[in-house]
Amino acid sequence: MVEPFGYGLSDDTDKVRPIENATSELHQALEQLNISSYHLVGHSISGVYSLAYINDYSNEVKSFIGIDSSLRTQGGADDNQGEVIKLLGQSGMYRLFFDVEPSFLNTPKLSKKDTELFKYISLKNIGNKATLNEGEVMQENFDKVAELRYPAQLPVLYFLASESVEPDDKWGPIHEDMIKDSQKSEIEILEGSHYLHHTQSGKIVKTINDFLEK
């Protein structure tokens, strides 16, 4: 797993977050690990970044697997709540929210020790420079991939969360449209929320293996 700047255990950064930086930094990380052929798995907004990445490095990516992944046509990229997030993060309100309702941070089922670590890492990153800047340029990044498609020969597997599909009648169709020219693609709707990998990891792994074996 490669965590972008501002996420997980990666450093924060002052460097701006256009999609070109997100893709080139990921590629640099893989190069340093001597990884030159791989299946790319992306959750949420990583779906947009992955689309640009695949078009830049199509000779390396063997397939794309999206976990309730975002698409260029979904809209809402201009809804930047950066200042509110920054204020809440600096005020300590997010810590209070977590203490009142632990599910606030979408914590997966973990041991008590790992839950504390997850809480620490999550709260450390809320409102940092990298993610705030990412929010500011989100619409620009969506616009940059507006005309991009997957290569027709690239296998694409989408996992969609039932809690994303049911309230949004466009969520399924925009993913179907994205793979309409694909020579090998599937969509699997799994019961659960946007963070499917927290609750459906076993099913996800089995489905990926079955898909790639076909």
Side-chain angles (χ1 to χ4, degrees):
M1 177 183 235
V2 179
E3 296 177 319
F5 287 118
Y7 288 85
L9 293 172
S10 291
D11 293 334
D12 197 5
T13 180
D14 288 319
K15 193 174 182 181
V16 292
R17 300 287 86 207
I19 203 165
E20 295 87 352
N21 285 355
T23 54
S24 65
E25 288 161 2
L26 171 57
H27 193 253
Q28 288 174 51
L30 294 175
E31 278 189 319
Q32 290 179 24
L33 294 168
N34 294 315
I35 298 173
S36 59
S37 181
Y38 39 86
H39 302 275
L40 196 63
V41 182
H43 168 251
S44 194
I45 190 59
S46 295
V48 171
Y49 299 149
S50 295
L51 181 58
Y53 187 94
I54 289 164
N55 277 269
D56 286 342
Y57 306 104
S58 58
N59 60 317
E60 297 183 12
V61 181
K62 297 172 70 175
S63 73
F64 174 66
I65 294 95
I67 302 177
D68 219 35
S69 53
S70 299
L71 291 178
R72 53 183 173 72
T73 52
Q74 72 183 53
D78 58 347
D79 184 18
N80 179 26
Q81 301 293 323
E83 289 305 314
V84 175
I85 294 171
K86 182 177 180 180
L87 174 63
L88 291 175
Q90 292 176 344
S91 69
M93 288 299 293
Y94 279 122
R95 288 174 174 79
L96 176 61
F97 293 159
F98 179 84
D99 290 338
V100 173
E101 180 48 68
S103 64
F104 167 71
L105 293 176
N106 297 297
T107 310
K109 188 176 182 180
L110 300 168
S111 67
K112 184 176 180 181
K113 178 182 177 181
D114 286 344
T115 297
E116 284 301 308
L117 290 172
F118 185 93
K119 172 186 174 183
Y120 170 78
I121 294 168
S122 298
L123 293 174
K124 173 183 72 73
N125 290 333
I126 288 176
N128 62 22
K129 290 174 286 188
T131 55
L132 289 176
N133 183 271
E134 183 182 21
E136 291 173 1
V137 299
M138 190 68 70
Q139 184 61 59
E140 296 173 27
N141 286 336
F142 269 61
D143 292 342
K144 288 175 181 177
V145 301
E147 303 302 322
L148 296 184
R149 311 284 301 193
Y150 301 119
Q153 71 276 12
L154 181 77
V156 178
L157 170 62
Y158 282 137
F159 293 99
L160 302 185
S162 61
E163 292 182 21
S164 297
V165 172
E166 290 164 4
D168 183 356
D169 58 6
K170 295 180 181 178
W171 194 240
I174 63 173
H175 284 82
E176 291 169 3
D177 179 71
M178 195 64 192
I179 56 175
K180 65 183 181 182
D181 298 323
S182 174
Q183 296 172 6
K184 179 182 180 182
S185 61
E186 290 182 15
I187 294 178
E188 184 89 12
I189 298 176
L190 298 181
E191 194 69 29
S193 71
H194 184 55
Y195 291 83
L196 282 173
H197 49 293
H198 288 180
T199 58
Q200 293 275 21
S201 58
K203 175 68 173 175
I204 288 171
V205 170
K206 183 180 185 306
T207 304
I208 289 174
N209 287 333
D210 290 345
F211 177 74
L212 296 178
E213 286 174 2
K214 290 180 182 177

